[in-house]
Amino acid sequence: MRDLFDAAGDLRGAYRDVDWTSTPLGPVETWSPTLRGTLDLALASRFPVTLLWGRKFVLVYNEAYVELIGDKHPAALGAPAEAVFGEIWDTIGPLLESVAAGKGTTWVENQQLMMDRHGFLEEAYFTYSYSAVHGPDGTIEGVLDIASETTHELLDRRRLALLSRLSDRLGDLDHPQELDAVALPVLREDPDDFRHVEIRVPGSLPPGQDFAVEAGPVIHMRLSAGPDATFVAGLSPHLPLDERYLGFVRLIGTSLSQALSRARQREAERRTAELERKMSESLQRSLLTPPPKAEGLDIAVRYRSALEQAQVGGDWYDAYLLPDGRLTMAVGDVTGHDLDAAALMAQLRNLLRGISYTLRHFPSRVLAGLDDALHGLHVGAFATVVLAHVDREGPQGRREVRWSNAGHPPPALVAPDGTVTLLTTRPELLIGVHAAAPRTDHTVVLEPGSSLVFYTDGLVERRGESLDDGLGRLVDALADRQHASADELCDHLLGAFGPTSEDDVVLAVLRVHTLEQWTNSRS
């Protein structure tokens, strides 16, 4: 007769070493046909299968089952289940008893069982089913256990979810000293992998955990962003320190290191941007001088920098008297938002002032001269500019204004009756685009009590909103403000539009004295 254990593969020796006579199953030759037949099927299977036979649920199993029980083999072979699985008997014992009592098959999916199979209580997960094995007379002789370990699958899923949450939180980290405050709450959501966690970064709050109070493996990982930053983790005593576990811890450390490096880079960029901003603002404010005093006119100017540190740029205004007594006003905006834009703004402003003062011609000729100078001197700059000449006082206090516009938002005229008109003209090229770009002059007469508002696009442009919408809001804000002084109009507009994080704002407002003011000045 064929040896029953021939199909046991590498377990043949273990089966033959068991003194079966001393086990509850007795000598092999006395085993029932049902046990012999079922064991023969189990041994031939490559899926983990064990039989738990008789009232003691004695274990006989195939080669694939050995991996599930680890160091419990070979002592488990021929031993009662309660003796083998004492640490989990409270969980599996009632299930086995239920099947043996004829109450039907059980099915358990991804159940955690804290098993001692490698010298410690190990966190493990199994999907398994217990079913009754009946003899010829219908009597239940034993229980068939078909099992699959899902530990790796569930741990990988848990750890991937933690890494994903950690990555999401670390993506917004801006300050290195906040790494622990951002990361630790996420890491502490996984006490099964980390008994304790601590991140030591200079400037962060003092550590609040003592790793010495509880025994168990502890890992110290220096974060690559600097020798002064360390990730310390108390690892689980219920998990093997295998490559899966340690690789997961290294991934946590890598995520922390990368986030810390990004935060330090952002911090350095902020410091650089802040320094650049201060330099740019200092340069701009040194150039944006107070407006001149002009008889019969009220002049006010404002400069407000962008909220974002890196957005300070090339907005400027200028106001000065020509030798013949005409007032010149200019508002412009160099393309770009950095120290280079501010430096180019200084060159353009000074060139424009010099050409205007020397040439003493219409604004269109002055802007054409600026175009020519930029190309001849190889100044690589582009800018929008509106340049206006305000003539000396005419009959009844009226003033004629002649202006030219190089791609700049249109000035706004507030009439003495409170109506507002945008002085829109045919668009012309920005300064610096072409040396011979055509330039056109336009004229308007300012009645006493009128105000003329020049501004840069930072006042009216907002992300997600069209320029027409912004200009419409400007008209609404100025309507019925005919009695406001130039200073009051500046402050009102800055308040009505609020600060913008994206661009600087320049305002230059000219108000002609009312007829009453004009009459009183001559009496």
Side-chain angles (χ1 to χ4, degrees), residues 371-435:
D371 272 325
D372 189 48
L374 290 178
H375 284 271
L377 297 173
H378 304 291
V379 179
F382 304 99
T384 67
V385 183
V386 59
L387 177 67
H389 288 165
V390 183
D391 282 349
R392 291 184 298 273
E393 193 173 77
Q396 300 298 310
R398 296 183 180 90
R399 302 276 184 152
E400 183 178 83
V401 176
R402 185 181 300 271
W403 82 95
S404 186
N405 190 334
H408 200 80
L413 173 62
V414 183
D417 63 358
T419 58
V420 180
T421 304
L422 294 176
L423 301 184
T424 305
T425 58
R426 183 174 59 86
E428 295 187 353
L429 290 175
L430 276 66
I431 290 295
V433 174
H434 197 284

Side-chain angles (χ1 to χ4, degrees), residues 170-225:
L170 293 178
D172 296 327
L173 183 69
D174 282 329
H175 302 284
Q177 63 273 20
E178 295 177 355
L179 177 63
D180 56 343
V182 171
L184 288 181
V186 179
L187 295 174
R188 288 170 182 164
E189 294 173 0
D190 184 14
D192 291 327
D193 281 307
F194 299 117
R195 292 179 295 114
H196 301 294
V197 284
E198 180 181 318
I199 299 171
R200 298 170 182 170
V201 180
S204 62
L205 294 175
Q209 301 183 38
D210 185 356
F211 287 88
V213 299
E214 184 176 335
V218 177
I219 190 167
H220 293 71
M221 184 178 297
R222 178 176 294 176
L223 302 182
S224 61

Side-chain angles (χ1 to χ4, degrees), residues 501-521:
S501 62
E502 299 172 0
D503 206 351
D504 296 350
V505 174
V506 156
L507 280 173
V509 176
L510 165 71
R511 187 171 190 273
V512 181
H513 285 178
T514 64
L515 189 58
E516 180 181 1
Q517 290 173 312
W518 179 79
T519 302
N520 291 340
S521 66

